[in-house]
Amino acid sequence: MTRLAAQLNTVRAYCGTQEELLDTLSRIRALGFDGVELESSLLKNADLQAVAQRLAQLGLEVCSIRSPFARTGYGMEEMIAEAKALNCIHVGVGTLTASYFTMGPAGVEKYLAQAQAVCERFSKEGLRPLYSLRFHEFMRLSDGAWSFDKLEAATETASYRWETDVLCLTRTAVEPPQVFLRLAGRMPVCRLSDQKIRENETYFFYARREECPLGEGLFDLPAWIEAAKRAGAEWFTVGQDLCDRDPFACLKASLEKAKEFGCA
């Protein structure tokens, strides 16, 4: 059975202090979510034990804690401490950054060497590194391969788990179910979102794409959700980077649609 988590970044404006963060967790649980997807930046001003206590009181789980890959170089011990304190097995290690993929195949090899050390350290602690797949991994390298091809098949990243994001995948023009199939058994988290087309207020023919709650946009979410479940997704997370209304209302609307579409 899959579970539903709120992307806490959606309500980041309500997480500035520890008191606000704890209150936001209570509001998330009241909406009916099983868990949360945390950004490490939202924990900067909070006591981990206080957050862990509130999560336990509410019966909320942390499906992942997301950090940029650079943090594995200067803050790996803090990442491990956060995950253990919040009883979270999936530690987000970010994504391949421009400093690597702009170097072409050599950059990917450099990344893999560093990723191997990350995997070994987390494995020793009983944690799983979770890679956030976005869209630049599907840029063709000079040798004709995608960065994704190399990352997915490399022995250095064999212990990686993958977090897919349907919004990012649609921007690659790659069908999400194709990626889910390749990651079957290694994709515990799938981020859901939707996108609508709104006409430009000045020039009608210059339509702009805009994030929206699930079911209000264009994505074939029921089919993609079913494909993700076949691939072994354990968590579906919902949320938006930008909202055109109260973000808690957006989360509630997305949660209801996610359940309707078969997420839980």
Side-chain angles (χ1 to χ4, degrees):
M1 180 177 179
T2 54
R3 291 169 287 175
L4 282 158
Q7 298 167 16
L8 214 61
N9 191 55
T10 304
V11 289
R12 57 193 177 277
Y14 300 85
C15 301
T17 66
Q18 177 171 300
E19 183 178 351
E20 289 176 341
L21 175 60
L22 297 180
D23 180 63
T24 292
L25 292 175
S26 297
R27 295 180 69 178
I28 293 296
R29 187 69 181 106
L31 291 176
F33 283 97
D34 305 305
V36 291
E37 177 189 73
L38 283 170
E39 306 288 335
S40 60
S41 59
L42 300 179
L43 297 171
K44 290 188 300 183
N45 300 319
D47 176 73
L48 290 178
Q49 295 307 316
V51 175
Q53 183 177 14
R54 179 59 59 89
L55 290 167
Q57 290 172 344
L58 296 171
L60 273 178
E61 293 187 46
V62 179
C63 71
S64 68
I65 304 174
R66 290 155 50 94
S67 292
F69 185 70
R71 195 178 182 215
T72 64
Y74 65 81
M76 190 181 297
E77 297 308 313
E78 289 82 1
M79 294 171 71
I80 292 170
E82 288 171 358
K84 289 189 172 184
L86 303 182
N87 196 30
C88 174
I89 193 172
H90 295 120
V91 183
V93 295
T95 185
L96 190 69
T97 58
S99 61
Y100 296 99
F101 71 77
T102 54
M103 295 170 59
V108 176
E109 294 302 317
K110 179 181 177 182
Y111 172 88
L112 290 174
Q114 294 178 241
Q116 183 174 21
V118 172
C119 290
E120 291 172 353
R121 182 71 179 93
F122 284 145
S123 295
K124 287 180 181 178
E125 299 292 338
L127 302 172
R128 297 173 181 168
L130 186 71
Y131 185 94
S132 298
L133 186 62
R134 298 180 69 83
F135 43 82
H136 52 270
E137 291 90 350
F138 295 91
M139 294 171 60
R140 290 288 179 193
L141 301 173
S142 59
D143 60 4
W146 289 333
S147 298
F148 173 59
D149 292 330
K150 298 175 181 289
L151 296 174
E152 185 262 335
T155 57
E156 293 90 338
T157 53
S159 62
Y160 265 12
R161 297 297 185 268
W162 297 78
E163 176 189 61
T164 52
D165 184 323
V166 299
L167 181 61
C168 289
L169 290 177
T170 57
R171 291 174 176 172
T172 69
V174 176
E175 282 292 321
Q178 296 178 17
V179 177
F180 299 163
L181 182 62
R182 288 185 59 172
L183 297 176
R186 296 187 291 159
M187 190 189 78
V189 182
C190 180
R191 303 187 92 215
L192 298 178
S193 52
D194 209 343
Q195 182 175 260
K196 62 185 177 182
I197 295 178
R198 184 190 295 271
E199 67 180 68
N200 187 290
E201 294 178 359
T202 307
Y203 301 104
F204 172 76
F205 291 106
Y206 291 91
R208 67 175 184 266
R209 298 176 181 180
E210 188 174 281
E211 290 182 74
C212 60
L214 304 188
E216 295 183 12
L218 303 169
F219 295 166
D220 188 8
L221 292 170
W224 295 353
I225 288 167
E226 184 57 35
K229 290 169 71 174
R230 290 197 300 269
E234 302 166 13
W235 285 94
F236 287 101
T237 76
V238 301
Q240 301 166 225
D241 286 335
L242 299 172
C243 299
D244 63 357
R245 70 200 81 158
D246 175 32
F248 288 99
C250 289
L251 284 175
K252 180 180 180 181
S254 288
L255 175 65
E256 292 172 353
K257 276 297 179 180
K259 290 180 177 179
E260 181 182 323
F261 291 156
C263 281

